[in-house]
Amino acid sequence: MATMTLINAINDGLRAEMEQDENVIVFGEDVGVNGGVFRATADLHQNFGENRSFDTPLAESAIIGTAIGLANHGFRPVPEIQFAGFIYECMDQISTQAARIRMRSGGRFTAPITVRVPFGGGVKTPEMHSDSLEALFLHSPGVKVVIPSNPYDAKGLLIAAIRDDDPVIFYEPMKLYRSIKGEVPEEAYTVEIGKANIVREGSDVTVLAYGNMVHTAEKAADLVEKERGVKAEVIDLRTISPFDLETIITSVKKTHRAVVVHEAAKTGGVGAELSARINEEAILSLEAPVVRVTGFDTPYPLTSIEDEYLPTPERIAAGIYKTLDF
Amino acid sequence: MPNVMELKEKTEMFQILNENGKVIKGQKVPDLTDEELKDLYRWMLRIRTFDGRAIKLNRQGRLGFYAPMAGQEASQIASMIALKKSDMLYPSYRDVGAAMYHGLPMENVFLNSRGQIHGMKTPDDVNAYPPQIIIAAQVLHCAGSGWAFRLKKQDDVAICFFGDGATSEGDFHEGLNFAAVNDANSIFFCQNNQYAISVPIHKQMKSETIAQKAIGYGIAGIRVDGNDALAVYQATKEAAERARKGEGPTLIEAVTYRVGPHTMAGDDPGRYRTKDEEETWTSKRDPLKRLRNYLDSKGLWSDEEEEKVQTEVLDEINETIKKVEKAPKGTVAELMDGLYKETPPMVTKQKDEYLAWKEGK
């Protein structure tokens, strides 16, 4: 075991997979010699050479499109899109090409690609860096979406994503890169894709979150316990698509209330899907409508007001009280 | 005043045969054996015959989506004849001729046209991707594939086909640039048939030729008469040789003409092309007539052989269409099963619910 930041855990996960499988290749803008704008790929170029970790020209569609072509010859590409807001540039290659090729070709061709993408607010980025666009891929059949919230999960989920034979978008919360540390095994291990994690047990309300919002939700759970003795069960989804419906429904049937938290805009977001599924599967267990505490239906704001845009422990607590006082 | 850079435009067109099928003075005939030459013509004739029949089958409602290829036989077949079975092909929806030459069964083409889900399953020993619908998306796959050959130190090449309209897409630019920077073993084969549906090439671009766009990427570019099978063969062969030696990608512009409509979904070329123009291309520049004349001059082909090939193809088409009409259409459950290696529980749940509903109906 070693104490690592989340960014170190990602770097360590990449190193571990590149060591055990020579077909794993890491590339993108500035990921080679420079080691990535966040140092996620630090030393990989130096240790594994130009044919394993390299820079590309600045063009997102081509980064994913060439990854698909490389995958046709046994490679397991781990391309990086520098910031989440730039993912629109490669929407076709992800959602139309990589996502569908197994189905279109009757399994003859596949796209075992892991797209790493830093995302999320709270770090004062320029425009179009912090946007949470995970719902776009929740709505793209054939693509999996994974978002870790701590160093242990980050390494284990990343290795699982790289070993997955289908395309995975691996969203990395920028806010957590260096702000949290945790114990991480030095060897390679996996955390199963599609399995949620109950990070805090409770009996009064289920709070569903992912990424940085898991930590904000935990703070909200502290707050409601202190203020009104409410016991909130906080679930870290870890995988957005396919999400762990079983764990969610089991929890809601126990607590009878649910609050979904995410940074992304409310309408058509992950929260809308989770709320719909809870209604479909557990409506008779609900004591109150499902509440969503989310970003607003605007583009991600400029930085001077991002603290007002992002859900806070207080806003989440207010959402929890709404379900209790219904 | 600063000087405006003057780039020399590559306007000359590489030709070996003239419009009558005679070798142009000073041009060298490619090193094809008599049998290879006959095979080249046989396949062009197969594709021409196939195209005519496919259009009829579409009109009878026995085929669905179909993009006619007549006029582009030399571009599609002579290029593929210059390559090897181990080379990788990324076709667009109009390039089923090239794909069939490379080994894609006619059955797959018909199934795909009819929207039956098994059509795009390329056999394991055929190195061809399913035909691409998103214009220029395959240019990126071809760049990645050629790059993979380079990284694995294989001397195979990747080739993709696309039309003149595709050169306006961002993916065309990105693909050529990536392949250039990485010296990918890629051949970018543009069939310039002068129209993207109804839009003529001069509304597509201001540059004189497509081949000259290669200058911007620092790669080899060639403009070839796309109706001259020998010239297309030679240009592709040289591009493949460069790629196999690690000398990087080539952009080939094959100047050709689509005789039929854009697709069979209601396009009427009469709205945007003149009869004179069509007549010029069909009577004077037909790629089959030109190669046939050359073969005749060498005594390599006969009317009997011509008829035999046509009959064989029509028989094969008849058998194949009957077979696919009886083939299972596929189900939504199969679609779900084929999406992921391991189907996620949420998808399995939808499948179970759907099957239960169907059962109870």
Side-chain angles (χ1 to χ4, degrees):
Chain A
M1 289 288 223
T3 306
M4 288 186 196
T5 60
L6 192 135
I7 195 90
N8 292 147
I10 286 167
N11 181 257
D12 199 49
L14 291 170
R15 176 199 54 77
E17 278 313 272
M18 289 177 82
E19 268 170 13
Q20 70 91 27
D21 183 352
E22 64 173 15
N23 282 315
V24 174
I25 50 175
V26 171
F27 54 93
E29 299 157 9
D30 309 289
V31 306
V33 177
N34 191 43
V37 290
F38 292 107
R39 314 284 303 140
T41 55
D43 302 325
L44 299 178
H45 176 85
Q46 288 75 6
N47 292 337
F48 294 95
E50 171 64 17
N51 285 351
R52 301 287 306 282
S53 174
F54 43 83
D55 293 315
T56 67
L58 202 165
E60 288 77 15
S61 187
I63 289 171
I64 306 304
T66 54
I68 292 168
L70 286 158
N72 291 342
H73 305 285
F75 284 111
R76 300 188 84 83
V78 189
E80 178 185 289
I81 298 299
Q82 205 160 60
F83 291 96
F86 313 161
I87 212 153
Y88 289 112
E89 305 288 333
C90 49
M91 278 300 291
D92 171 59
Q93 291 297 333
I94 295 175
S95 296
T96 316
Q97 307 297 332
R100 299 162 66 124
I101 191 58
R102 176 188 292 279
M103 181 206 76
R104 294 181 68 228
S105 69
R108 169 69 203 285
F109 296 104
T110 59
I113 298 167
T114 303
V115 185
R116 292 185 38 254
V117 198
F119 90 112
V123 288
K124 304 271 184 245
T125 64
E127 274 188 288
M128 290 163 277
H129 285 56
S130 297
D131 305 57
S132 292
L133 303 172
E134 61 276 10
L136 297 175
F137 300 104
L138 175 65
H139 204 62
S140 294
V143 178
K144 296 179 184 177
V145 183
V146 170
I147 305 181
S149 69
N150 59 69
Y152 179 89
D153 284 354
K155 181 174 172 182
L157 284 167
L158 179 60
I159 292 175
I162 294 171
R163 292 182 187 178
D164 199 291
D165 287 325
D166 291 307
V168 178
I169 315 276
F170 190 82
Y171 274 117
E172 302 168 1
M174 280 185 276
K175 174 82 175 170
L176 299 180
Y177 268 159
R178 292 187 173 82
S179 65
I180 54 158
K181 286 187 175 173
E183 290 295 300
V184 176
E186 277 161 58
E187 70 278 8
Y189 62 93
T190 57
V191 170
E192 191 183 345
I193 291 175
K195 284 274 177 276
N197 184 24
I198 302 171
V199 293
R200 180 188 181 113
E201 295 212 12
S203 51
D204 300 326
V205 59
T206 298
V207 181
L208 302 168
Y210 50 89
N212 182 37
M213 282 298 118
V214 172
H215 303 279
T216 313
E218 283 185 283
K219 284 183 193 136
D222 286 339
L223 192 64
V224 295
E225 181 156 27
K226 198 171 130 213
E227 286 182 353
R228 286 175 55 174
V230 175
K231 300 242 180 281
E233 177 148 296
V234 180
I235 296 180
D236 177 358
L237 290 179
R238 298 198 289 202
T239 299
I240 301 306
S241 181
F243 55 79
D244 184 355
L245 190 62
E246 199 187 331
T247 299
I248 295 166
I249 297 303
T250 304
S251 176
V252 171
K253 283 185 174 167
K254 177 176 76 174
T255 64
H256 310 292
R257 292 171 182 85
V259 174
V260 190
V261 184
H262 57 63
E263 295 182 23
K266 185 173 190 172
T267 302
V270 172
E273 183 59 37
L274 293 174
S275 175
R277 293 297 174 125
I278 292 167
N279 279 324
E280 286 171 5
E281 304 287 329
I283 194 154
L284 295 177
S285 303
L286 287 176
E287 295 285 347
V290 178
V291 165
R292 288 179 281 167
V293 181
T294 66
F296 300 97
D297 288 348
T298 67
Y300 192 83
L302 292 170
T303 52
S304 68
I305 54 166
E306 70 176 339
D307 291 341
E308 193 174 338
Y309 177 89
L310 290 168
T312 57
E314 292 74 20
R315 264 179 69 201
I316 298 170
I320 291 171
Y321 293 147
K322 207 172 158 186
T323 66
L324 287 158
D325 301 338
F326 177 73
Chain B
M1 280 284 285
N3 287 325
V4 175
M5 212 192 302
E6 277 190 40
L7 291 174
K8 203 169 186 311
E9 290 173 344
K10 293 198 155 201
T11 49
E12 82 270 19
M13 188 154 69
F14 176 55
Q15 285 178 311
I16 293 177
L17 294 178
N18 71 13
E19 291 185 353
N20 299 318
K22 294 219 166 60
V23 177
I24 293 168
K25 226 176 169 174
Q27 288 297 7
K28 207 170 151 263
V29 172
D31 55 351
L32 287 161
T33 63
D34 287 351
E35 205 36 60
E36 285 169 332
L37 270 174
K38 289 177 76 170
D39 203 39
L40 169 57
Y41 182 74
R42 188 180 297 119
W43 265 94
M44 285 169 58
L45 182 59
R46 273 177 67 84
I47 296 309
R48 170 70 55 91
T49 313
F50 174 90
D51 190 74
R53 187 77 186 123
I55 287 169
K56 283 203 185 96
L57 288 169
N58 169 279
R59 292 202 174 116
Q60 292 164 6
R62 298 174 77 188
L63 282 183
F65 175 81
Y66 184 72
M69 324 178 257
Q72 302 185 203
E73 295 88 350
S75 292
Q76 290 197 21
I77 302 299
S79 53
M80 291 309 294
I81 274 191
L83 301 181
K84 298 189 294 190
K85 278 289 278 183
S86 55
D87 294 327
M88 185 74 196
L89 166 67
Y90 294 86
S92 86
Y93 52 81
R94 199 183 301 285
D95 308 312
V96 296
M100 283 193 284
Y101 176 78
H102 209 45
L104 187 74
M106 189 187 285
E107 187 181 341
N108 288 57
V109 178
F110 283 169
L111 285 168
N112 192 20
S113 170
R114 291 165 55 84
Q116 287 169 244
I117 63 175
H118 306 290
M120 283 187 283
K121 183 174 170 33
T122 320
D124 288 343
D125 61 342
V126 179
N127 292 322
Y129 226 44
Q132 182 59 247
I133 293 289
I134 303 297
I135 306 284
Q138 75 275 24
V139 173
L140 297 178
H141 305 157
C142 179
S145 179
W147 187 2
F149 288 137
R150 186 106 177 90
L151 285 170
K152 296 212 173 222
K153 298 188 170 62
Q154 280 173 250
D155 68 355
D156 296 312
V157 305
I159 187 168
C160 61
F161 287 87
F162 49 92
D164 38 303
T167 64
S168 300
E169 291 277 4
D171 281 352
F172 165 81
H173 160 67
E174 292 189 20
L176 267 67
N177 189 47
F178 264 57
V181 167
N182 295 294
D183 291 324
N185 296 8
S186 305
I187 300 173
F188 302 102
F189 195 103
C190 178
Q191 291 175 84
N192 170 10
N193 66 19
Q194 336 246 356
Y195 290 89
I197 308 187
S198 68
V199 180
I201 189 146
H202 66 85
K203 293 216 169 188
Q204 204 67 249
M205 57 189 230
K206 188 77 176 168
S207 60
E208 194 71 25
T209 71
I210 287 167
Q212 78 193 62
K213 290 172 193 274
I215 298 169
Y217 305 104
I219 63 171
I222 182 164
R223 188 167 200 246
V224 60
D225 184 335
N227 286 16
D228 175 353
L230 298 188
V232 170
Y233 169 83
Q234 188 62 28
T236 314
K237 192 166 168 270
E238 286 177 21
E241 276 166 9
R242 272 193 296 279
R244 294 187 210 285
K245 280 191 280 183
E247 291 171 10
T250 301
L251 171 62
I252 298 174
E253 174 189 8
V255 181
T256 182
Y257 197 77
R258 137 169 79 75
V259 171
H262 166 69
T263 68
M264 295 308 294
D267 176 44
D268 173 12
R271 284 199 291 260
Y272 53 87
R273 301 196 303 208
T274 64
K275 279 269 165 277
D276 273 1
E277 180 187 294
E278 289 181 6
E279 173 68 14
T280 304
W281 283 93
T282 49
S283 70
K284 291 195 193 139
R285 298 181 187 161
D286 182 76
L288 272 85
K289 281 185 201 159
R290 210 191 286 196
L291 188 59
R292 173 75 200 264
N293 284 345
Y294 177 70
L295 293 185
D296 284 346
S297 74
K298 299 186 61 155
L300 286 175
W301 198 257
S302 65
D303 288 342
E304 292 74 50
E305 278 173 288
E306 184 104 357
E307 207 174 303
K308 186 165 167 270
V309 170
Q310 287 169 320
T311 311
E312 274 171 11
V313 180
L314 290 172
D315 287 350
E316 191 184 337
I317 290 171
N318 282 343
E319 272 170 47
T320 309
I321 193 75
K322 276 184 213 148
K323 192 174 164 196
V324 299
E325 280 173 334
K326 282 185 216 132
K329 289 193 177 75
T331 64
V332 173
E334 272 181 89
L335 201 62
M336 291 180 183
D337 289 340
L339 190 55
Y340 302 89
K341 185 169 187 196
E342 284 167 44
T343 306
M346 279 165 67
V347 180
T348 305
K349 192 166 181 289
Q350 284 189 1
K351 181 178 139 188
D352 293 345
E353 283 169 0
Y354 175 68
L355 292 177
W357 173 81
K358 243 173 107 173
E359 191 116 320
K361 211 165 64 127

